[in-house]
């Protein structure tokens, strides 16, 4: 008998896996904080004998090297991946024994990266008998209803990798039975997916993907053309993840950061450092340290903070509890933000110097925005700022709104027209981040904390971009 445990990394939209038998197991694409993988093995009562990487990851710092070191496991990395550390080079067709009657077979599936490799878990009923595939770990190749994007390595390779991606998923579909479970690493909110994957928490098989995945339903030319046309912006921090993984990441340090008082927080802000408030956007809007920025813990904290913060700039974390601080610190290590410069726990009352008042701004709905635009308002009084990505805006935008995607706003604050800024996204999270950036810059801001479908219901004119089907109903 075998088992497969899934380790969710919901903030980054990824999964890692631990698979094995009665005595030993393999860890697939482990996260930077390897203690949770070790704990999963302990719960199963197994030893981690192998650690495998499907590819050098571009969206997170891998814990593979450290996990192999502390567990004594063999570290398997695709042979064509250029790395600076000792590892077992994996070639197409290589097999390793994971436990009695349980083997892992490498299957070259280039596309997400040139060296990408999937791994087929195979079981045999009795020793030396024929094996049966029981699952395939597809990394960034075949995802749930999508494929891994091919543009994260080198622009000149993108089209070639897109074609390779199409061929690779067809290889998987041809060589594996329809009932084989497909277990990808990316695609649950990760920007490594070529398109949005809706099946968060879902499962799939080769057969299901044959019925629904465009990569398996369309010919190479049509699929590649649409894939390349639909690629979205790449998070800026991705540029640092691949090199870190190739060099060999250092062990993670999760010891608590130094505690800062109100004077130190003020000094760090004055020095141009980032002070990040992890509390909810509701709490932040009601009162916060002037100049601090709001990145809610529990959402896509690591993705958006690492995307926006200038790489290497010191970050101080403000949390409402030690538990919130520890969870955020853990998540940030996964994207290379290893040690907060300082931290504080509690609330604005203890973070602000005596005699100073907390800053605040309004939250509102789209209905309130419509009322503001139609009564008591003249042109130039307010600015509607849309911070969604271009593809989202193309599906519908508030007429007359200014578009600056959130990931570019920090560099383009001077492009926001004069007036009171009503900032919105699709649901409120990104609008809150943007509002904190604008507030820190001294702008009068209102955060629209509402779902975008409410814009039409509120009476606002919502139009689609040219070529996207005309005005929205």
């Amino acid at each position: 008998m075998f088992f497969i445990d899934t380790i969710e990394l919901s903030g980054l939209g990824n999964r890692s896996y631990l698979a094995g038998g009665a005595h030993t197991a393999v860890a697939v694409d482990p996260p930077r904080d390897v203690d949770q993988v070790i704990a999963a093995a302990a719960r199963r009562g197994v030893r981690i004998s192998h650690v495998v990487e499907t590819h050098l990851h571009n969206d997170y710092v891998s814990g593979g090297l450290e996990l192999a070191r502390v567990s004594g496991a063999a570290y398997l990395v695709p042979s064509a991946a250029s790395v600076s550390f000792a590892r077992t080079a994996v070639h197409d067709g290589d097999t390793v024994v994971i436990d009695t009657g349980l083997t892992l077979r490498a299957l070259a599936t280039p596309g997400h990266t040139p060296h990408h490799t999937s791994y087929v878990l195979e079981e045999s009923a009795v020793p030396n008998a024929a094996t049966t595939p029981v699952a395939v770990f597809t990394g960034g190749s075949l995802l749930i209803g999508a494929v891994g994007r091919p543009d994260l390595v080198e622009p000149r390779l993108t089209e070639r990798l897109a074609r390779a991606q199409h061929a690779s998923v067809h290889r998987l579909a041809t060589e594996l039975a329809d009932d084989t479970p497909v277990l990808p690493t990316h695609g649950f909110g990760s920007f490594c997916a070529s398109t949005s994957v809706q099946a968060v928490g879902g499962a799939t098989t080769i057969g299901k993907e044959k019925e629904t995945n465009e990569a398996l339903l369309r010919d190479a030319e049509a699929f590649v053309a649409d894939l390349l046309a639909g690629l979205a912006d790449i998070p800026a921090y991705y540029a640092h993840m691949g090199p870190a993984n190739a060099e060999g990441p250092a062990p993670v340090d999760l010891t608590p950061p130094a505690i800062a008082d109100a004077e130190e927080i003020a000094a760090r802000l004055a020095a141009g450092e980032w002070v990040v408030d992890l509390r909810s956007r509701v709490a932040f809007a009601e009162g916060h340290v002037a100049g601090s920025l709001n990145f809610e813990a529990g959402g896509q904290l690591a993705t958006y903070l690492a995307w926006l913060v200038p790489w290497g700039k010191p970050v101080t974390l403000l949390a409402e509890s030690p538990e919130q601080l520890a969870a955020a610190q853990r998540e940030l290590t996964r994207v290379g933000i290893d040690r907060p410069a300082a931290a504080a726990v509690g609330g604005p009352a203890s973070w602000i110097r005596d005699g100073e008042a907390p800053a605040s701004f309004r939250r509102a709905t789209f209905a309130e925005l419509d009322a503001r635009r139609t009564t008591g308002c003249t042109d130039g009084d307010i600015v509607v700022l849309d911070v969604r990505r271009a593809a989202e805006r193309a599906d519908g935008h508030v007429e007359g709104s200014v578009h600056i995607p959130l990931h570019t706003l920090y560099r383009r604050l001077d492009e926001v027209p004069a007036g009171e800024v009503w900032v919105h996204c699709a649901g409120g999270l990104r609008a809150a981040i943007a509002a904190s950036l604008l507030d820190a810059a001294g702008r009068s801001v209102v955060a629209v904390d509402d779902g975008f479908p409410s814009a039409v219901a509120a009476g606002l004119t919502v139009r689609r971009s040219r070529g996207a089907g005309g005005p929205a109903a």
Side-chain angles (χ1 to χ4, degrees):
M1 294 293 293
F2 69 93
F3 71 86
I4 300 175
D5 290 340
T6 300
I7 299 169
E8 295 278 359
L9 301 175
S10 57
L12 292 178
N14 288 328
R15 290 176 175 174
S16 296
Y17 302 93
L18 183 74
H23 306 289
T24 49
V26 57
V28 181
D29 289 342
R32 179 92 180 276
D33 45 326
V34 300
D35 56 331
Q36 59 182 321
V37 185
I38 295 170
R43 287 191 295 270
R44 287 286 185 177
V46 297
R47 177 176 61 87
I48 299 174
S49 60
H50 296 80
V51 177
V52 303
E53 303 281 7
T54 56
H55 60 294
L56 292 184
H57 302 282
N58 287 289
D59 64 327
Y60 70 92
V61 181
S62 171
L65 183 62
E66 176 66 3
L67 181 59
R69 184 187 70 80
V70 300
S71 67
Y75 189 27
L76 279 57
V77 178
S79 60
S82 178
V83 297
S84 301
F85 48 83
R87 91 291 196 202
T88 300
V90 177
H91 302 82
D92 185 36
D94 285 354
T95 61
V96 294
V97 176
I98 301 303
D99 204 316
T100 302
L102 199 63
T103 60
L104 199 67
R105 175 167 58 93
L107 200 157
T109 49
H112 187 48
T113 66
H115 59 265
H116 191 283
T117 300
S118 298
Y119 297 91
V120 184
L121 188 66
E122 300 178 321
E123 185 182 39
S124 60
V126 296
N128 301 318
T131 59
T132 300
V134 293
V136 57
F137 302 103
T138 56
S141 184
L142 180 61
L143 311 182
I144 299 179
V147 298
R149 59 192 298 171
D151 60 331
L152 302 181
V153 178
E154 158 60 53
R156 292 170 296 182
L157 295 178
T158 297
E159 182 174 351
R160 186 190 314 171
L161 289 176
R163 295 183 183 280
Q165 189 72 293
H166 185 269
S168 290
V169 298
H170 278 265
R171 181 185 183 188
L172 289 165
T174 299
E175 295 191 14
L176 297 173
D178 283 358
D179 62 354
T180 306
V182 174
L183 303 176
T185 299
H186 303 312
F188 308 93
S190 168
F191 283 91
C192 277
S194 58
T195 57
S196 176
V197 177
Q198 301 301 320
V200 176
T204 192
T205 62
I206 291 292
K208 288 180 181 179
E209 292 308 306
K210 285 182 178 179
E211 296 173 353
T212 59
N213 197 308
E214 292 293 320
L216 294 171
L217 294 172
R218 309 184 70 189
D219 64 70
E221 294 302 320
F223 171 75
V224 168
D226 283 351
L227 176 62
L228 297 180
L231 293 171
D233 293 316
I234 301 171
Y237 73 93
Y238 276 26
H240 304 279
M241 300 297 97
N245 288 323
E247 179 65 24
V252 66
D253 180 2
L254 293 175
T255 57
I259 298 300
D261 60 14
E263 288 294 339
E264 182 177 349
I265 291 170
R268 290 187 176 279
L269 283 167
E273 298 182 10
W274 275 33
V275 174
V276 173
D277 191 326
L278 301 168
R279 296 174 303 144
S280 75
R281 55 185 182 263
V282 176
F284 183 87
E286 290 176 348
H288 55 269
V289 179
S292 63
L293 305 175
N294 183 216
F295 290 79
E296 281 189 356
Q300 289 183 290
L301 165 67
T303 294
Y304 284 112
L305 180 54
W307 196 341
L308 270 67
V309 66
W311 195 253
K313 182 177 283 290
V315 173
T316 293
L317 299 178
L318 306 181
E320 61 186 2
S321 69
E323 293 76 18
Q324 185 182 68
L325 174 61
Q329 183 180 349
R330 175 181 289 270
E331 187 173 352
L332 292 175
T333 64
R334 296 171 183 162
V335 292
I337 301 177
D338 282 4
R339 294 292 301 164
V345 173
S350 60
W351 301 338
I352 299 173
R353 292 179 296 189
D354 292 341
E356 296 182 355
S360 63
F361 53 77
R362 286 182 55 206
R363 294 167 48 253
T365 63
F366 278 109
E368 291 172 289
L369 171 59
D370 180 63
R372 179 74 173 88
R373 293 184 89 183
T374 55
T375 59
C377 169
T378 60
D379 289 344
D381 279 350
I382 70 169
V383 177
V384 179
L385 176 63
D386 181 349
V387 295
R388 297 173 301 158
R389 293 183 293 278
E392 296 173 279
R393 183 174 172 85
D395 286 338
H397 63 271
V398 175
E399 186 175 44
S401 61
V402 176
H403 182 225
I404 303 178
L406 174 61
H407 63 273
T408 69
L409 181 59
Y410 181 65
R411 305 188 306 271
R412 300 173 59 188
L413 288 168
D414 59 350
E415 296 179 31
V416 181
E420 182 181 67
V421 184
W422 289 60
V423 58
H424 80 84
C425 60
L429 176 65
R430 286 173 290 172
I433 298 172
S436 72
L437 287 165
L438 290 159
D439 177 70
R443 297 298 301 269
S444 175
V445 63
V446 178
V448 179
D449 194 358
D450 202 357
F452 188 73
S454 299
V456 174
L460 290 163
T461 301
V462 175
R463 300 194 180 279
R464 299 187 190 278
S465 297
R466 183 176 299 175

